[in-house]
Amino acid sequence: MRYQRPHARRPALLALAVLLLGLAASPALLTRAGAQGPEAEPGKKSATPKKGSGLVAFVPLSGRILEFSASALEVKVAEALEKKPKILVLELDTGGGLISASETIATLMQQTSDQGVFTIAWVRSQALSGGTLAAFGCDRIVLAKEARIGDVLPIQIREAMGRTDIRVAEKFISPMRATLESYAERRGYPLPLVRAMVDPDHGGVARVKIRFEPNRAADRYLSLLEYQELRASDPGSIIEAEIVVESGRLLTLDAEKARRHGFAWLTNIEAR
């Protein structure tokens, strides 16, 4: 992989790189939530980039995620890290692929973060299925204006005698949910919404603003059953509510919804 300074990339990358370099100059902005990201966990080593060259490295991942593409990305990341960047941007445009390869990439990004390099998933168009898992391995997620994430339902594709058979891989739903939840807990993403990305039997999710005291309220993500029970038992505590996803539907989020629900750190970056 050629390691380039941001000004050698496309206009969209230039705009993103200028923003990221500005953030790199202010480490406090990288360790705190900003508008959407989670706070750093107390007592946990910060993922703030080390002082160094001040460069931003971009590594692209597009198309179907296969074992080969995961191996190639490992090489690209290793080459990029030789230049000691402060920020590593995983540029995503994928509808998913193999579970094992997607897990490899998510682990790679988490390991890169653990080494002190701030990692960002930049979703140019889509990061669905395994692409969402790869994005969850990064410290933060940035979505272009029309980008989407979600729908991580494991499926099996079989081709025989000129026919393609697509089935839900039931036995992989629980392991995939556990893997996504482990990353989500690190990042502070709403677990009920994460489950709704993987398992269609999630029961539906509502975002409810609940009043706990006269001057204190907080947003909670409840199952639709929990929401109905709250409406019946204590309707006065509900300030407002919205149904995020209905029961039986897999959750896919556009850029605006990803920002609103705390998955996206930044949105509305033009992807040209």
Side-chain angles (χ1 to χ4, degrees):
M1 184 199 80
R2 291 184 301 164
Y3 185 86
Q4 298 175 312
R5 289 177 182 271
H7 66 263
R9 304 283 291 192
R10 297 184 294 276
L13 292 180
L14 176 61
L16 181 60
V18 169
L19 171 64
L20 296 179
L21 284 171
L23 292 174
S26 303
L29 293 178
L30 296 176
T31 54
R32 67 184 177 84
Q36 298 299 328
E39 298 287 345
E41 296 179 26
K44 185 175 181 180
K45 184 178 179 180
S46 171
T48 305
K50 298 176 181 178
K51 293 182 179 180
S53 61
L55 295 176
V56 178
F58 289 85
V59 288
L61 177 65
S62 61
R64 192 179 180 203
I65 301 175
L66 303 172
E67 297 295 351
F68 172 79
S69 52
S71 298
L73 188 70
E74 287 179 314
V75 173
K76 292 176 183 178
V77 170
E79 291 176 351
L81 293 181
E82 290 178 358
K83 302 296 183 179
K84 301 189 183 304
K86 287 187 173 183
I87 299 170
L88 182 72
V89 179
L90 176 63
E91 187 182 350
L92 289 167
D93 187 0
T94 175
L98 298 180
I99 293 176
S100 57
S102 302
E103 289 179 336
T104 296
I105 294 170
T107 299
L108 172 64
M109 301 313 295
Q110 181 60 58
Q111 291 173 342
T112 301
S113 175
D114 291 342
Q115 293 174 33
V117 179
F118 195 78
T119 57
I120 295 177
W122 181 30
V123 185
R124 292 177 53 82
S125 175
Q126 61 179 355
L128 300 174
S129 190
T132 295
L133 175 55
F136 273 31
C138 298
D139 291 310
R140 298 288 188 272
I141 299 176
V142 174
L143 275 76
K145 187 178 294 184
E146 304 300 329
R148 298 176 301 147
I149 61 172
D151 190 352
V152 197
L153 177 68
I155 60 173
Q156 289 179 316
I157 302 177
R158 295 178 180 176
E159 296 183 1
M161 301 180 64
R163 297 180 59 183
T164 301
D165 181 28
I166 301 177
R167 299 181 181 181
V168 175
E170 298 281 355
K171 66 179 181 180
F172 292 109
I173 290 179
S174 180
M176 176 58 72
R177 186 176 70 183
T179 298
L180 274 181
E181 287 178 348
S182 68
Y183 284 110
E185 287 177 339
R186 285 173 175 259
R187 315 301 181 208
Y189 301 150
L191 292 183
L193 295 187
V194 173
R195 297 184 189 110
M197 291 181 177
V198 183
D199 190 349
D201 295 329
H202 52 75
V205 182
R207 180 182 181 179
V208 185
K209 178 169 285 188
I210 302 174
R211 180 183 293 106
F212 293 98
E213 297 175 1
N215 298 317
R216 189 170 72 91
D219 286 337
R220 293 289 185 266
Y221 289 91
L222 307 177
S223 70
L224 294 188
L225 178 59
E226 291 172 329
Y227 173 48
Q228 292 167 0
E229 291 175 345
L230 181 62
R231 289 179 61 187
S233 63
D234 190 10
S237 67
I238 300 174
I239 299 175
E240 60 183 27
E242 67 167 315
I243 306 301
V244 181
V245 58
E246 296 283 357
S247 177
R249 299 176 64 93
L250 289 170
L251 179 63
T252 300
L253 298 171
D254 60 23
E256 192 278 329
K257 289 180 180 177
R259 180 200 59 78
R260 190 191 331 155
H261 297 299
F263 291 91
W265 188 37
L266 298 171
T267 58
N268 293 330
I269 292 178
E270 296 287 347
R272 299 175 181 174

